[in-house]
Amino acid sequence: MRVDNDDILRSSGTDVRKCMKCGKCSGACPSFDEMDFPPHIFVSMVERGDAAALLSSKSLWTCMSCFACVERCPRGVEPANVIEAVRASAMSPQGANRMRPEDVPVFLGAAGECLVPQQLLASAFRKYSR
Amino acid sequence: MTKIGVFVCWCGSNIAATVDVDAVSEAIKAAPGVVFATNYQYMCSEGGQAAIRSAVAEHGLTGVVVCSCSPRMHEATFRKAAAGAGVNPYMVEIANIREQCSWIHKDKAEATAKAIALARAAVAKLNLDRPLTAPETPVTKRALVIGGGIAGIQTALDVADAGYEVDVVEKSPTIGGKMAMLDKTFPTLDCAACILTPKMVDAAAHEKITLYTYSEVEKVSGFVGNFTVDIKKRARSVSVDRCTGCGVCSEKCPSKRAKSEFDQGLRERSAIYIPFAQAIPNVPVIDRDTCLKFQTGKCGLCEKVCPSHAVDYSQEDEVITKQYGAIVAATGFKPIGLERFDEYAYSRSPDVVTSLEFERLCNAAGPTKGHLVRPSDGKEPKTVVFVQCVGSREASGIGAMKGKPYCSKICCMYTAKHAMLLREKYPDSEAYVFYIDVRTPGKNFDEFYRRAAEEYGVHYIKGMVGKVCDEGNGRLTVRASDLIENRQLLIDADMVVLAAAVEPDPSARALATLLTASMDTNDFFTEAHPKLRPVESPTAGVFLSGMCQGPKDIPDTVAQAGAAAAKVIGLLSKDRLVGNPCVASCDETLCNGCSACERVCPYGAISYETKTVVDRGAKDERRVASVNEALCQGCGACTVTCPSGAMDLRGFTGRQIMAEVDAICR
């Protein structure tokens, strides 16, 4: 799986450089014991551009999105949103779309009418980036 | 017509390496009004100044242009030199060909062309300059210090020792401020009261110092050297002259429900009270909001029991008006409220306390007489968790900005002190300090912090507390991170001490408005220059002492208080002040009376009056702007606001500025 660190920074909507490494997120996290990369390390790795290493991490799925870290971070870094951005990226890896544009004609009738619900086509594309 | 001499400075190689100084002095000879031009290695040196003097004598110069460094650097030098040679000092113009030319360019030809353009602009302006005379005003030789904490006390003592009268206005019933509440002081662990109370006594006993406690500044007018201030003395309801401070009134007072402000609400006090035993003046005040006599009309017990008939329910607030030459703001600080920090359970558990509350719990004169116990059940704590940076160093965002963006500076040191005090009182106790960084720049500060860790066995943990749970059985569960060992800790604690961020005292905001002194976004007073004028406000005659300017510990506060005093003494030692003649003036024939300038003036220097204006021979009654030249600082805000072009700044008129622009754009 490939991941674009800049994409993650953008989609998280937060500025990880604001982090002052206080560790309050990890002091607040109820899932701490289930995490291989606790919130403060997670944020730190994204900050230094190493999000790829997090794609297969346990933390991605043990974060419960309780937002305790978001609520308490004194710097407004919102760690849970950073984790969510990596999670979204793991769920929609690049180039892993179920369908390619050239596959579409298979679902079209002779008159160009769609033979399957349009929603099927839309959902086959929309989750996967580029 | 002004006879102008132009002097081009090499500034060693600073200018001469990038600008062809010969070409500049040669080219400028062609500018209108220039009768002499030369260049010299260092114009600011004695040789350079002598060149100005001899050129004035030889060529009868009436104006001087120096092409050199920024006017911030040497304008005063060259004005003085010109004045010494008999030229009006305001007939001197500086063309900044160093900071604005040689230092920022590489190409010599281009830099030289620019230097010539800048010189031409200065000559063009000088041709329109008129000789100005700086106004002089007398100085009232008395200082006002607002705030009676350690900062205000120290400033007052230093100014008074130099022989000048000082009045101290303190809003609470006693002087002493926050320092009086402290137990020990870092880094020496000496008792705060032992070093503060003698200074309080000195201030009270000093023949040059007058204390106005339980008083507030209500109105300020005037300007540097001549401030007029209204001080409201709130009614104490007790005669300061008659009271002996025996304390019978407080003892007998039946209303004992009010929270003691001095003890941070950890103790209840009577309605008639003295904040603490060493208070100065040692005279009680009646808190009319909780006094039965004032609330219900029944009682009057204190009046009956007072042996010296000092209680006086009929006392009223009194306003005193006095003159001052200088004003010092020393309004201090307070810890921020922690109501919004739910995660630390401060509002839910009495055993979660602020550091200032912990200070009172340790203090021999505090609510527990120095017996450090939990406020909930009076038991001695065995495990105490200290949390640093509570509300300090925050940025905006979800969940953030409940606190302050700055470092509060004092918390690292007092937390180390508190942890040491705990370990000293209870050797079998455990002290945990959670820190983001430990910041200890200061003499013997880092050594002090290391002693806490090494000699006192305080557990310093790099990490932050994420949650405190009040378990309801007298236990507090603290969940925190340990970043070095990458683990999460659950600590079963008896007490949690929160190092709350500091903020300026809320009274500072209103005072800044009264003084027209500027503040930063955090309501700290702004200094005139962050490095070079740290104890002066940009408003002339207003000085800054202590925490009201920014977070400071006691050593820094005392040092700054002394520095502010030195500035006050320097001002009061003058008999007359030379003002700035480059102030705004109003052309009454153009003024339309719109008041726009009055609204933008940051110094309150503009007022409107109705007067007879002669306009092209016709007399007319008009409402026109009038500038108080002593208050005007020459900022120019009014001149750009004025829609009819009536306002102009002397020495910087619209015509002069346009002449400069024209000369450059030629």
Side-chain angles (χ1 to χ4, degrees):
Chain A
M1 270 191 289
R2 288 185 302 122
V3 60
D4 185 337
N5 207 75
D6 289 341
D7 265 359
I8 286 171
L9 290 177
R10 207 175 306 121
S11 62
S12 69
T14 74
D15 183 357
V16 286
R17 280 175 303 180
K18 278 182 165 178
C19 175
M20 63 170 167
K21 326 274 185 206
C22 72
K24 197 171 179 182
C25 47
S26 291
C29 181
S31 294
F32 186 94
D33 291 340
E34 303 301 323
M35 287 188 159
D36 44 0
F37 299 101
H40 72 283
I41 292 180
F42 204 101
V43 170
S44 176
M45 288 173 71
V46 172
E47 189 203 347
R48 67 177 161 85
D50 200 9
L54 297 167
L55 286 174
S56 54
S57 72
K58 202 177 151 197
S59 296
L60 221 46
W61 312 106
T62 48
C63 166
M64 301 184 294
S65 295
C66 73
F67 279 56
C69 52
V70 173
E71 176 61 32
R72 294 182 199 150
C73 172
R75 305 292 303 171
V77 171
E78 304 171 22
N81 285 333
V82 177
I83 295 175
E84 173 59 23
V86 178
R87 193 186 290 136
S89 181
M91 285 160 61
S92 56
Q94 268 178 21
N97 289 357
R98 294 215 180 115
M99 191 184 270
R100 287 166 299 156
E102 46 270 40
D103 297 334
V104 174
V106 174
F107 298 100
L108 303 179
E113 76 279 18
C114 195
L115 300 176
V116 293
Q118 279 201 359
Q119 206 177 358
L120 185 149
L121 296 182
S123 64
F125 280 112
R126 78 172 167 202
K127 280 184 183 166
Y128 304 103
S129 51
R130 285 175 292 211
Chain B
M1 182 87 183
T2 310
K3 292 174 88 177
I4 297 171
V6 181
F7 302 83
V8 183
C9 181
W10 305 7
C11 196
S13 62
N14 272 302
I15 292 171
T18 319
V19 170
D20 182 346
V21 288
D22 286 326
V24 176
S25 59
E26 202 46 45
I28 203 67
K29 280 179 183 163
V34 176
V35 296
F36 173 77
T38 186
N39 59 70
Y40 190 78
Q41 203 166 10
Y42 288 106
M43 278 310 298
C44 58
S45 68
E46 179 45 38
Q49 295 184 39
I52 294 177
R53 280 195 296 273
S54 60
V56 170
E58 200 176 322
H59 301 279
L61 303 180
T62 55
V64 170
V65 168
V66 185
C67 305
S68 59
C69 51
S70 160
R72 299 282 286 185
M73 192 81 190
H74 276 309
E75 186 177 58
T77 311
F78 295 123
R79 277 185 175 167
K80 215 170 147 191
V87 175
N88 183 285
Y90 296 92
M91 297 295 285
V92 173
E93 291 296 334
I94 308 292
N96 181 355
I97 61 164
R98 193 178 75 173
E99 285 85 342
Q100 292 176 358
C101 187
S102 70
W103 276 0
I104 51 169
H105 296 299
K106 287 198 176 82
D107 186 288
K108 196 162 183 174
E110 280 178 1
T112 304
K114 180 171 174 181
I116 293 169
L118 290 170
R120 271 203 204 104
V123 168
K125 176 165 185 270
L126 183 52
N127 271 312
L128 297 172
D129 279 358
R130 294 291 165 263
L132 298 173
T133 311
E136 285 194 352
T137 50
V139 178
T140 307
K141 305 219 170 214
R142 188 188 300 118
L144 172 67
V145 175
I146 303 165
I150 179 61
I153 290 172
Q154 187 64 49
T155 300
L157 282 172
D158 289 348
V159 174
D161 280 344
Y164 298 104
E165 278 183 52
V166 187
D167 291 354
V168 178
V169 172
E170 166 57 49
K171 71 174 175 343
S172 69
T174 173
I175 59 168
K178 294 289 182 296
M179 187 175 169
M181 299 172 184
L182 307 183
D183 183 33
K184 301 283 197 305
T185 54
F186 60 76
T188 43
L189 289 183
D190 44 354
C191 140
C194 309
I195 56 176
L196 175 67
T197 48
K199 277 193 186 291
M200 291 165 61
V201 172
D202 285 352
H206 205 294
E207 56 168 358
K208 296 282 187 188
I209 297 180
T210 308
L211 300 178
Y212 294 103
T213 50
Y214 212 46
S215 303
E216 279 162 59
V217 169
E218 219 173 36
K219 195 175 150 210
V220 179
S221 57
F223 47 90
V224 55
N226 296 279
F227 293 107
T228 303
V229 179
D230 286 358
I231 299 165
K232 183 167 94 178
K233 283 178 75 178
R234 290 167 62 201
R236 277 187 110 90
S237 315
V238 177
S239 160
V240 177
D241 301 327
R242 288 190 186 163
C243 175
T244 58
C246 71
V248 173
C249 54
S250 316
E251 222 170 88
K252 299 288 183 197
C253 175
S255 166
K256 289 194 165 62
R257 294 273 176 74
K259 296 279 184 200
S260 161
E261 295 83 356
F262 188 79
D263 276 321
Q264 298 294 299
L266 293 166
R267 173 178 69 85
E268 284 171 348
R269 61 154 172 81
S270 44
I272 182 165
Y273 70 104
I274 297 178
F276 62 107
Q278 294 85 15
I280 285 182
N282 191 21
V283 174
V285 342
I286 293 180
D287 169 8
R288 294 187 174 184
D289 293 337
T290 56
C291 171
L292 296 175
K293 175 77 181 173
F294 282 98
Q295 292 302 313
T296 65
K298 295 175 192 133
C299 191
L301 196 58
C302 49
E303 188 184 28
K304 289 191 195 89
V305 297
C306 177
S308 41
H309 308 292
V311 176
D312 176 6
Y313 300 123
S314 66
Q315 244 185 35
E316 283 177 12
D317 293 353
E318 186 190 344
V319 175
I320 303 166
T321 303
K322 284 181 93 166
Q323 315 285 322
Y324 300 97
I327 298 178
V328 181
T331 44
F333 76 103
K334 73 174 198 45
I336 62 166
L338 295 180
E339 297 73 23
R340 290 200 291 158
F341 290 82
D342 284 344
E343 63 266 38
Y344 299 124
Y346 175 73
S347 302
R348 289 193 296 280
S349 170
D351 296 330
V352 179
V353 298
T354 67
S355 296
L356 196 52
E357 290 163 18
F358 188 82
E359 203 77 55
R360 294 310 299 154
L361 291 170
C362 290
N363 194 302
T368 57
K369 305 211 166 9
H371 185 202
L372 173 59
V373 292
R374 292 153 38 103
S376 64
D377 54 12
K379 286 188 185 148
E380 294 177 355
K382 291 287 169 265
T383 304
V384 179
V385 171
F386 295 88
V387 189
Q388 292 195 175
C389 295
V390 175
S392 293
R393 307 171 64 188
E394 296 210 338
S396 54
I398 299 175
M401 268 333 237
K402 293 186 283 196
K404 303 288 173 183
Y406 47 83
C407 166
S408 293
K409 194 167 179 181
I410 55 175
C411 325
C412 289
M413 287 299 287
Y414 70 58
T415 298
K417 175 187 75 176
H418 288 163
M420 283 165 148
L421 291 177
L422 170 75
R423 292 278 296 144
E424 207 165 73
K425 282 178 196 283
Y426 307 126
D428 62 338
S429 64
E430 298 290 345
Y432 295 90
V433 176
F434 285 91
Y435 68 92
I436 303 171
D437 301 287
V438 178
R439 294 177 168 176
T440 52
K443 193 173 176 181
N444 294 323
F445 281 17
D446 205 64
E447 295 91 321
F448 182 82
Y449 145 59
R450 288 315 307 162
R451 253 171 68 207
E454 293 165 25
E455 289 174 32
Y456 287 77
V458 175
H459 307 298
Y460 269 86
I461 299 168
K462 160 79 184 159
M464 196 63 182
V465 171
K467 181 130 182 97
V468 177
C469 281
D470 182 359
E471 301 293 352
N473 53 359
R475 310 302 302 163
L476 297 165
T477 306
V478 178
R479 189 190 287 271
S481 58
D482 175 349
L483 300 187
I484 303 290
E485 298 192 29
N486 191 24
R487 58 180 178 158
Q488 197 178 58
L489 301 172
L490 276 177
I491 298 172
D492 184 20
D494 299 296
M495 269 180 96
V496 172
V497 183
L498 306 175
V502 297
E503 66 182 350
D505 189 89
S507 65
R509 165 63 48 191
L511 182 66
T513 309
L514 290 179
L515 297 173
T516 62
S518 56
M519 286 187 140
D520 64 18
T521 50
N522 299 309
D523 276 7
F524 286 113
F525 281 102
T526 315
E527 57 280 10
H529 187 285
K531 278 154 266 203
L532 302 178
R533 296 175 68 193
V535 299
E536 294 155 85
S537 154
T539 303
V542 175
F543 303 91
L544 311 173
S545 177
M547 275 264 207
C548 68
Q549 180 258 343
K552 263 174 218 73
D553 55 27
I554 296 169
D556 280 3
T557 294
V558 172
Q560 202 209 16
K567 292 289 169 190
V568 170
I569 294 164
L571 171 59
L572 298 188
S573 68
K574 295 190 175 101
D575 292 324
R576 304 185 74 77
L577 288 179
V578 177
N580 172 19
C582 299
V583 294
S585 68
C586 173
D587 182 341
E588 289 164 355
T589 61
L590 292 178
C591 178
N592 67 11
C594 72
S595 293
C597 54
E598 189 181 11
R599 282 193 293 272
V600 296
C601 178
Y603 306 99
I606 299 175
S607 56
Y608 273 79
E609 50 194 53
T610 303
K611 57 163 130 175
T612 310
V613 176
V614 184
D615 189 1
R616 282 161 290 184
K619 277 191 187 174
D620 200 3
E621 283 284 306
R622 287 188 196 170
R623 184 175 171 276
V624 291
S626 160
V627 178
N628 181 333
E629 296 188 2
L631 285 180
C632 177
Q633 302 288 312
C635 73
C638 55
T639 64
V640 290
T641 305
C642 179
S644 50
M647 274 292 178
D648 237 339
L649 207 54
R650 284 195 198 122
F652 296 92
T653 61
R655 278 186 68 215
Q656 285 174 304
I657 305 293
M658 285 317 292
E660 284 188 285
V661 175
D662 285 346
I664 288 172
C665 299
R666 197 170 60 125

